Amino acid sequence: RDANRLGEGCPIFFKKNRFARVSEYTFWLSHHPQTPGSMDEEEGFPRIATHLRLMTQEKNTISFLNTHLAYRSKRNQDLNLKVLFDFVQSLPVGEPLILGGDFNMERSIIQPYKPRNLHFAGEFNHDKTYHEFRGGEGIAQIDHLLHSDVEEVNFQIDQRPFLNRQLSDHYPV
């Protein structure tokens, strides 16, 4: 996410035996999305999204977005959501899309910004995804999956520790 393209990323993993990579693109959730490392100084960290377009064995395309949004500044959260959802609106109509990531905010804050064709993927059964490296039941549900033109999205929250410790302050979704 940094100007030198080091630091945190928003990777997307896929099964190479089922999909072929068509394109990938990282952009910054700022006033200058094509400028590596660009950010709002109020937040203090660049925020990014990674877009990956894949082709299925049946020659259909599907898009994935992974992101990590601001948490310090309400102004920057608003900007992040606007840039992210403007990008979503630029994608081909009818192409399936799955968007996931650390939104650092509850669904109710995201709802007014999201395009009408984008839907939250099911309920997390009230499981919390953020836990401050403590494990257990967690504190808040701030990681989300959204989709459009996808019939079914299956997911789970993995609360298992790895090597007897939490590797992140969030559970993987």
Side-chain angles (χ1 to χ4, degrees), residues 1-8 26 28 32-39 41 44-48:
R1 71 180 180 184
D2 299 330
N4 60 5
R5 295 192 180 259
L6 296 175
E8 178 181 284
T26 295
W28 282 258
H32 307 283
Q34 291 79 32
T35 303
S38 61
M39 67 178 160
E41 294 300 324
F45 299 103
R47 297 299 178 172
I48 62 172

Side-chain angles (χ1 to χ4, degrees), residues 11 19 23 25 60 63 72 103 114 119-120 131 144 153-154:
F19 300 97
S23 62
Y25 174 64
N60 299 314
S63 280
R72 291 182 179 178
F103 283 75
K114 73 175 189 59
H119 309 284
F120 286 98
H131 59 82
H144 304 283
V153 177
N154 294 311

Side-chain angles (χ1 to χ4, degrees), residues 154-165:
N154 294 311
F155 61 89
Q156 68 183 38
I157 298 171
D158 187 351
Q159 296 182 338
R160 297 174 295 169
F162 182 75
L163 298 176
N164 295 318
R165 56 185 253 192

Side-chain angles (χ1 to χ4, degrees), residues 5-152:
R5 295 192 180 259
L6 296 175
E8 178 181 284
C10 289
I12 301 170
F13 298 94
F14 65 95
K15 294 182 178 183
K16 290 182 178 182
N17 64 339
R18 293 188 58 200
F19 300 97
R21 181 177 39 213
V22 174
S23 62
E24 62 184 87
Y25 174 64
T26 295
F27 57 100
W28 282 258
L29 302 172
S30 71
H31 290 289
H32 307 283
Q34 291 79 32
T35 303
S38 61
M39 67 178 160
D40 184 323
E41 294 300 324
E42 194 172 290
E43 177 67 15
F45 299 103
R47 297 299 178 172
I48 62 172
T50 299
H51 173 241
L52 177 65
R53 179 172 282 134
L54 298 174
M55 184 173 293
T56 67
Q57 293 172 337
E58 298 78 27
K59 305 296 182 204
N60 299 314
T61 56
I62 183 169
S63 280
F64 291 87
L65 271 166
N66 187 13
T67 193
H68 187 185
L69 276 61
Y71 70 93
R72 291 182 179 178
S73 158
K74 171 74 169 107
R75 182 183 76 199
N76 208 33
Q77 286 179 326
D78 293 341
L79 174 62
N80 287 182
L81 287 169
K82 180 184 181 326
V83 172
L84 179 65
F85 290 136
D86 282 353
F87 181 83
V88 167
Q89 292 292 84
S90 75
L91 296 174
V93 174
E95 180 176 270
L97 166 68
I98 297 176
L99 162 61
D102 177 357
F103 283 75
N104 275 313
M105 59 190 88
E106 300 282 343
R107 275 187 185 197
S108 60
I109 298 169
I110 301 164
Q111 187 69 32
Y113 292 89
K114 73 175 189 59
R116 286 192 307 245
N117 67 333
L118 206 57
H119 309 284
F120 286 98
E123 292 293 328
F124 285 12
N125 297 322
H126 307 291
D127 285 340
K128 309 294 191 232
T129 57
Y130 176 64
H131 59 82
E132 293 183 325
F133 289 101
R134 295 180 185 156
E137 291 183 19
I139 298 164
Q141 183 184 334
I142 59 175
D143 302 272
H144 304 283
L145 283 175
L146 297 97
H147 65 91
S148 69
D149 300 305
V150 177
E151 289 182 23
E152 183 177 333

